C-alpha cells in the first residue's frame, strides 16, 4: 500500500508497440475504476502528487484543481480567514501538505505545551524540518505574540464567543469553542487545495508519522484504544491527530461534520460528534475511506505502549489539566532524551520504557 511520504517509481519507456498496447488495455479499466472511486462528489479528482515531505519534489495537481473552488467561495469566507490563502504556500510542503496545530495564551506560554511540542521535533529522529511546514493557529492575541516569538508561521483565528485564553479544562464552554473553531479553518484549508495533518499541541512528535499514513486514505485518524483493525469503524477515534487529503469529498465531509453539531447536545465536542457520524460519512455517496492509526505507533496515555523503538508520536490524552499534561510530557521528553543518547545496539538491549504518566492517571480517577 502506498504511504504518504513514499515517492512514486518512474518507469522508463521501451518495448514494442504490442507490449504498449497490451499494457494500455490492461491499465485503462483499473484507472477508470480508481478515478470513479476517488472522488464521487464534484466534477473532478483532486489527486495528490508524490509525497516526499523531506525532499519536496514539486506538486501541482491537488492545489491547482482545488483552487477552482475559489470561484464559488463567498466574500464572507474570505473575511473570516484573511491572509490564509497567502500564508499557506509558504508553509506547505511542495506536495501541498500542511501540519496544523492550535494554541491559546495558556498553552503557548514559555515552559508550557508549545515549547514541549516544538522541542519534540528538534529532539526527534530526522523530523526537525517538519517544523518549517507547521502552521500554528493562535486563537487569541496573547497566543499569537507567544507564537511569533518562537515560530515563523503563525495565524490568528480569534474565537470571540468565549474566553479561550485560559487553560480551559476539558469540556468547558471555552474548550468546546476551541475544538469546533479549528474545523472551520480546516475546511477552508481543504478548499484551497491543501491536505493537512492536524495535531493537538499536547502531542510530542518523535519520528516521521507520514511514513505510516496510507496514501489511499481520505482520512487517517488516531485512536484512544486501537482494536487491531485499521479499517474498523468500531475503533474509538481521537480527533487530536488526523490527516485529511484534499478532495471535493473531504471538503464536504468536514462541512457535514461541522453541520452535525446542531444535531447533538451543545455539550458534545467535535470528537464525540465525529464518532457518531463516521458511519454516515463512510457510507452514502461520500464513501470516505477511513484508516485508524495503531496506538503502538501513535501512542498515548489512554493505551500506553512501551515500544520506544517504534513510536512516532506520544499524546497526553486521557488527561485533565494543563499542569498535569506538562508535567507528564516533560518526564517523557526526558525519557526520550535518555533513550536517544544511547547507541543503537544499546537502545535495543536497554529495556527502557516510558515513565508512567502518574499525574494524568490521577486526574482521570
Amino acid at each position: 500500500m502506498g504511504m504518504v511520504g513514499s515517492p512514486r517509481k518512474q518507469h522508463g519507456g521501451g518495448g514494442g508497440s504490442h507490449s504498449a498496447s497490451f499494457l494500455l488495455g490492461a491499465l485503462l479499466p483499473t484507472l477508470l475504476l480508481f478515478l470513479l472511486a476517488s472522488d464521487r462528489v464534484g466534477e473532478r479528482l483532486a489527486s495528490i502528487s508524490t509525497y516526499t515531505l523531506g525532499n519536496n519534489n514539486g506538486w501541482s495537481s491537488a492545489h491547482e484543481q482545488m483552487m477552482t473552488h475559489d470561484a464559488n467561495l463567498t466574500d464572507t469566507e474570505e473575511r473570516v480567514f484573511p491572509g490564509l490563502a497567502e500564508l499557506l504556500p509558504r508553509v506547505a510542503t511542495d506536495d501541498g501538505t500542511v501540519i496544523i496545530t492550535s494554541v491559546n495564551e495558556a498553552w503557548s506560554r514559555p515552559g508550557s505545551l508549545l515549547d514541549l511540542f516544538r522541542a519534540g521535533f528538534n529532539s526527534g529522529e530526522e523530523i526537525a524540518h517538519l517544523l518549517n511546514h507547521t502552521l500554528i493557529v493562535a486563537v487569541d492575541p496573547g497566543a499569537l505574540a507567544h507564537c511569533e516569538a518562537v515560530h515563523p508561521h503563525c495565524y490568528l483565528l480569534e474565537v470571540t464567543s468565549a474566553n479561550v485564553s485560559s487553560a480551559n479544562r476539558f469540556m468547558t464552554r471555552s474548550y468546546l469553542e476551541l475544538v469546533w473553531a479549528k474545523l472551520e479553518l480546516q475546511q477552508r484549508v481543504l478548499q484551497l487545495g491543501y491536505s493537512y495533518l492536524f495535531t493537538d499541541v499536547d502531542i510530542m512528535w518523535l519520528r516521521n508519522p507520514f511514513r505510516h499514513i496510507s496514501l489511499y486514505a481520505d482520512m487517517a485518524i488516531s485512536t484512544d484504544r486501537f482494536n487491531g483493525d485499521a479499517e474498523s469503524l468500531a475503533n474509538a477515534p481521537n480527533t487530536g491527530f488526523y490527516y485529511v487529503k484534499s478532495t471535493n469529498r473531504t471538503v464536504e465531509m468536514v462541512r457535514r461534520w461541522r453541520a452535525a453539531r446542531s444535531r447533538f447536545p451543545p455539550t458534545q465536542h467535535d470528537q464525540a460528534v465525529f464518532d457518531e457520524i463516521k458511519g454516515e460519512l463512510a457510507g452514502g455517496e461520500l464513501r470516505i475511506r477511513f484508516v485508524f492509526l495503531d496506538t503502538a505507533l501513535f501512542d498515548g496515555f489512554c493505551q500506553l505502549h512501551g515500544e520506544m523503538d517504534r513510536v512516532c508520536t506520544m499524546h497526553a490524552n486521557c488527561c485533565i489539566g494543563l499542569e498535569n499534561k506538562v508535567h507528564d510530557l516533560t518526564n517523557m521528553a526526558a525519557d526520550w532524551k535518555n533513550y536517544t543518547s544511547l547507541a543503537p545496539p544499546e537502545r535495543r538491549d536497554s529495556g527502557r520504557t516510558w515513565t508512567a504518566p502518574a499525574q494524568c492517571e490521577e486526574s482521570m480517577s
Side-chain angles (χ1 to χ4, degrees):
M1 180 176 287
M3 296 294 172
V4 175
S6 302
R8 294 174 180 164
K9 295 181 180 178
Q10 298 296 321
H11 301 279
S17 60
H18 293 293
S19 297
S21 299
F22 175 80
L23 288 172
L24 182 61
L27 287 172
L28 279 175
T30 302
L31 179 61
L32 179 59
L33 286 172
F34 177 76
L35 290 173
L36 290 173
S38 294
D39 203 348
R40 301 185 181 211
V41 174
E43 299 176 354
R44 64 198 180 284
L45 168 67
S47 62
I48 306 300
S49 63
T50 304
Y51 279 82
T52 50
L53 290 172
N55 299 313
N56 299 342
N57 281 344
W59 73 290
S60 61
S61 180
H63 180 259
E64 290 176 358
Q65 293 183 47
M66 289 297 290
M67 281 294 287
T68 60
H69 275 290
D70 285 350
N72 300 320
L73 294 174
T74 66
D75 291 338
T76 301
E77 285 176 298
E78 284 291 344
R79 285 194 297 269
V80 169
F81 306 108
L84 183 63
E86 292 75 27
L87 178 59
L88 289 176
R90 301 199 295 270
V91 184
T93 63
D94 281 354
D95 54 25
T97 303
V98 181
I99 300 166
I100 303 174
T101 192
S102 58
V103 294
N104 63 6
E105 195 276 332
W107 300 343
S108 59
R109 292 171 189 161
S112 192
L113 289 174
L114 181 57
D115 280 353
L116 285 168
F117 176 78
R118 286 174 43 80
F121 286 86
N122 291 317
S123 64
E125 293 185 355
E126 300 180 356
I127 57 173
H129 67 281
L130 293 179
L131 268 179
N132 297 327
H133 304 297
T134 300
L135 177 65
I136 298 177
V137 178
V139 297
D140 58 66
L144 181 65
H146 291 316
C147 177
E148 290 178 336
V150 297
H151 191 71
H153 307 304
C154 305
Y155 184 80
L156 179 62
L157 175 67
E158 284 198 82
V159 180
T160 58
S161 55
N163 176 20
V164 298
S165 298
S166 62
N168 292 325
R169 293 180 72 85
F170 185 65
M171 294 306 292
T172 61
R173 181 190 170 202
S174 296
Y175 171 86
L176 292 171
E177 291 304 318
L178 277 176
V179 296
W180 281 106
K182 72 183 183 185
L183 280 179
E184 189 176 6
L185 180 137
Q186 289 168 19
Q187 181 179 331
R188 177 64 172 146
V189 169
L190 293 175
Q191 288 172 320
L192 288 169
Y194 296 89
S195 303
Y196 68 84
L197 195 163
F198 176 81
T199 170
D200 276 347
V201 76
D202 63 349
I203 294 179
M204 186 166 58
W205 286 45
L206 305 169
R207 295 184 175 94
N208 192 337
F210 289 101
R211 295 172 182 168
H212 303 281
I213 294 176
S214 168
L215 180 66
Y216 301 105
D218 292 312
M219 182 177 189
I221 185 166
S222 64
T223 59
D224 284 335
R225 292 173 178 84
F226 183 62
N227 72 4
D229 182 353
E231 298 182 2
S232 170
L233 293 178
N235 281 293
N238 186 300
T239 55
F241 188 94
Y242 55 92
Y243 166 82
V244 182
K245 178 166 59 179
S246 177
T247 68
N248 293 334
R249 291 182 300 118
T250 56
V251 170
E252 178 63 13
M253 176 194 75
V254 176
R255 189 199 68 78
R256 293 188 187 186
W257 184 3
R258 292 176 54 215
R261 183 183 186 184
S262 64
R263 293 161 46 189
F264 297 91
T267 54
Q268 293 281 57
H269 54 58
D270 63 324
Q271 180 173 299
V273 171
F274 177 82
D275 193 30
E276 292 288 340
I277 69 169
K278 64 181 187 288
E280 301 172 19
L281 299 173
E285 76 277 13
L286 284 184
R287 298 289 178 183
I288 297 297
R289 296 182 293 271
F290 292 113
V291 171
F292 296 89
L293 301 173
D294 190 342
T295 51
L297 297 170
F298 300 88
D299 212 345
F301 295 176
C302 292
Q303 190 179 38
L304 186 63
H305 296 263
E307 301 174 48
M308 298 183 76
D309 59 330
R310 298 180 62 201
V311 63
C312 292
T313 60
M314 177 62 70
H315 191 179
N317 53 7
C318 289
C319 183
I320 299 176
L322 173 61
E323 65 284 355
N324 297 322
K325 290 175 181 282
V326 170
H327 177 273
D328 288 350
L329 280 176
T330 298
N331 284 342
M332 290 192 166
D335 294 338
W336 178 255
K337 183 177 180 180
N338 291 334
Y339 171 77
T340 55
S341 68
L342 302 173
E346 294 176 308
R347 294 182 192 180
R348 289 192 295 269
D349 301 332
S350 68
R352 290 179 182 269
T353 188
W354 301 108
T355 300
Q359 288 194 192
C360 283
E361 290 175 353
E362 185 177 351
S363 76
M364 299 295 291
S365 60

